[in-house]
Amino acid sequence: MFLTGCWLGEDFQPVLSQRAKWVMNRRADGTFSITFIPEDGPVQREEGTWSQHGKSYTTVTTTIDGRPVDVQDPIFTDTYDTRWLDNDVMESHHKKANMVFKSRKMPCDGGDGGDG
């Protein structure tokens, strides 16, 4: 699966109300971890599950900074349409936020917050 692995991006993050870098690790077992590194403020780590449906994928956040969240709350479910994907670059459209995010594939070496 092209979507698995570690992906690095940087853009405005609505959940943080500011620009941030992120490292997303989507694993083949259907789990993910993402670390947000904002320009100003504390690092935030989320974990959960993900699934792919054709050109779309959905993430369901189950914990933020190690604390469980209410997975029934729709704020913790995000669906993206993949607009561009190759071995190194991905562009996804976040449906709820109506934003496009770009990310680049990177090694999952464990030192980047991606749980390599």
Side-chain angles (χ1 to χ4, degrees):
M1 279 194 241
F2 279 118
L3 293 177
T4 58
C6 291
W7 296 84
L8 173 68
E10 182 174 1
D11 208 331
F12 180 81
Q13 285 294 319
V15 69
L16 301 174
S17 300
Q18 65 178 301
R19 190 171 182 84
K21 290 182 182 177
W22 69 86
V23 177
M24 165 67 87
N25 184 354
R26 279 184 294 272
R27 300 176 197 90
D29 68 359
T31 62
F32 78 87
S33 62
I34 186 167
T35 301
F36 294 101
I37 306 161
E39 290 180 341
D40 183 33
V43 170
Q44 179 172 303
R45 181 177 172 85
E46 299 179 6
E47 295 180 301
T49 60
W50 75 280
S51 58
Q52 184 176 357
H53 312 281
K55 290 189 172 191
S56 295
Y57 68 95
T58 300
T59 61
V60 178
T61 299
T62 57
T63 66
I64 297 177
D65 293 331
R67 293 184 298 275
V69 300
D70 178 5
V71 296
Q72 300 304 312
D73 187 332
I75 196 167
F76 297 114
T77 300
D78 296 292
T79 300
Y80 302 83
D81 288 326
T82 304
R83 293 190 168 174
W84 174 261
L85 177 64
D86 65 22
N87 288 332
D88 298 317
V89 177
M90 178 170 58
E91 183 177 289
S92 301
H93 175 249
H94 185 283
K95 291 182 176 186
K96 281 191 282 192
N98 194 27
M99 294 182 71
V100 174
F101 296 105
K102 296 178 183 176
S103 53
R104 180 169 297 281
K105 194 126 189 202
M106 60 177 286
C108 294
D109 63 12
D112 53 33
D115 266 355

